[in-house]
Amino acid sequence: MNQKIDLLFTLDEGYLAPLKVALLSIHDNNPRQDFRVWLVHERISEESITTLQAFCHSLGFELQVIKVDGSNWASAPTVARYPKEMYFRLLAGEILPEDITKVLYLDPDILVINPLTDLWNLELDQHLLAAATHTGLLDVSTPINKVRLDLDHEYYNSGVMLLNLTQAREKVQWADISRVIEKYAHFLVLPDQDILNYLYGKYALTIPEERWNYDARMYAKYFTRSLSKHDLHWVMANTSILHFCGKPKPWDKKHDNRFTALYLSYQNRVVELEKEL
């Protein structure tokens, strides 16, 4: 049996259904791997937690639930798409037990289609985190974000992050985060991701997006950028994490791309599995 992998999700009740889809995909594509799932939330109901516990148990996953007081984030910019819970990952080092030295944070709008072991075993050394950038063919978004946030490093997507909690406990301070929120709230487009890049991007280790944070909207970009190498056959053999960034989401009727059917197949299996619980 491999070393247990710690997974972190920070979300509200509205994302529990996608979370179950993500967990089922992790289970299917990481056979014989132990997982411990950390769910950090503010107001998910006890009934929903009980249901999730049963679901995780059916997969053989350990579930640890931590309820936090979100009052610290009262002044933080939020919208329906970016609820308060997204900020909790920034303080993962403070929230999770001290004997947890690293954790793999995942957004719930993902599918895992190959093993996570190589990412988990990545040597972080003194880096605070490992994350991917999402760059276009002409890489327009990264220069804009660098100017907007005055960055001298890449702009990282916070949807998939291997977090070095030892470094986080040294470097991540609520006072710094609070200062940025107070001073720059009106400049924050993707609030917690902007804060992460502004304060801590300089401590990040870059990982290849094609493997670990594949933007499911951008098949044509990856295909063209790789000179036609990264076709669907390559993706299914080499990509571990499909990330359904932006809108519509794959559970919405308007979503229709090369990966929609794959997502819906997992979603349908979750429905059937829950009928048996």
Side-chain angles (χ1 to χ4, degrees):
M1 189 69 66
N2 294 322
Q3 178 190 10
K4 184 177 293 185
I5 293 178
D6 284 298
L7 302 175
L8 172 64
F9 296 91
T10 66
L11 46 84
D12 60 17
E13 194 140 1
Y15 270 91
L16 285 177
L19 171 61
K20 293 172 185 176
V21 174
L23 292 175
L24 180 58
S25 73
I26 291 168
H27 169 270
D28 281 4
N29 293 288
N30 290 267
R32 299 175 298 279
Q33 175 64 57
D34 283 342
F35 287 95
R36 176 166 49 187
V37 179
W38 296 89
L39 173 61
V40 178
H41 75 102
E42 183 184 21
R43 52 183 179 272
I44 298 176
S45 69
E46 287 297 324
E47 179 182 0
S48 294
I49 294 295
T50 300
T51 301
L52 182 62
Q53 285 275 14
F55 184 81
C56 287
H57 180 74
S58 73
L59 301 179
F61 291 179
E62 176 185 348
L63 177 65
Q64 296 289 336
V65 180
I66 300 177
K67 186 174 183 178
V68 301
D69 178 4
S71 60
N72 281 343
W73 307 99
S75 63
T78 61
V79 294
R81 183 180 167 193
Y82 302 109
K84 186 189 303 183
E85 284 78 5
M86 66 183 172
Y87 292 100
F88 297 162
R89 56 186 152 176
L90 296 178
L91 290 176
E94 180 179 318
I95 294 171
L96 296 180
E98 289 191 4
D99 62 333
I100 307 298
T101 58
K102 68 175 178 178
V103 71
L104 178 57
Y105 170 82
L106 298 171
D107 275 354
D109 57 346
I110 56 108
L111 278 182
V112 171
I113 60 173
N114 277 301
L116 296 172
T117 312
D118 286 350
L119 179 56
W120 178 254
N121 291 331
L122 183 66
E123 184 56 62
L124 288 172
D125 296 318
Q126 298 303 306
H127 291 96
L128 171 61
L129 60 100
T133 62
H134 280 166
T135 58
L137 282 173
L138 300 177
D139 198 8
V140 173
S141 60
T142 294
I144 291 174
N145 285 321
K146 283 185 173 183
V147 171
R148 181 171 62 86
L149 297 173
D150 192 24
L151 305 179
D152 59 0
H153 52 76
E154 298 303 305
Y155 182 84
Y156 294 96
N157 181 275
S158 61
V160 176
M161 298 185 292
L162 182 64
L163 296 170
N164 182 342
L165 297 181
T166 302
Q167 288 294 311
R169 291 173 184 124
E170 293 180 6
K171 293 182 170 68
V172 180
Q173 303 295 327
W174 163 243
D176 296 331
I177 297 170
S178 180
R179 173 178 53 81
V180 172
I181 291 174
E182 182 177 349
K183 187 173 182 180
Y184 298 108
H186 57 294
F187 284 117
L188 303 177
V189 177
L190 303 173
D192 74 311
Q193 185 168 280
D194 283 353
I195 293 170
L196 177 88
N197 277 276
Y198 182 79
L199 289 174
Y200 309 115
K202 59 187 175 183
Y203 305 118
L205 175 66
T206 303
I207 55 178
E209 61 176 307
E210 294 89 346
R211 285 198 66 194
W212 303 116
N213 195 340
Y214 186 107
D215 188 335
R217 301 169 297 181
M218 300 298 179
Y219 172 83
K221 177 194 76 171
Y222 295 120
F223 182 75
T224 303
R225 196 168 66 184
S226 67
L227 301 179
S228 305
K229 177 184 177 182
H230 294 173
D231 59 11
L232 279 176
H233 297 274
W234 186 94
V235 172
M236 297 307 297
N238 295 279
T239 295
S240 285
I241 302 174
L242 292 176
H243 190 182
F244 292 88
C245 305
K247 286 189 174 183
K249 295 299 185 185
W251 53 88
D252 296 329
K253 289 185 177 181
K254 291 183 178 181
H255 193 278
D256 186 10
N257 71 19
R258 287 172 175 80
F259 302 106
T260 306
L262 179 61
Y263 189 91
L264 294 178
S265 69
Y266 276 102
Q267 182 174 266
N268 291 340
R269 286 183 54 210
V270 168
V271 172
E272 293 304 312
L273 181 57
E274 290 198 299
K275 290 178 181 178
E276 301 173 3
L277 299 179

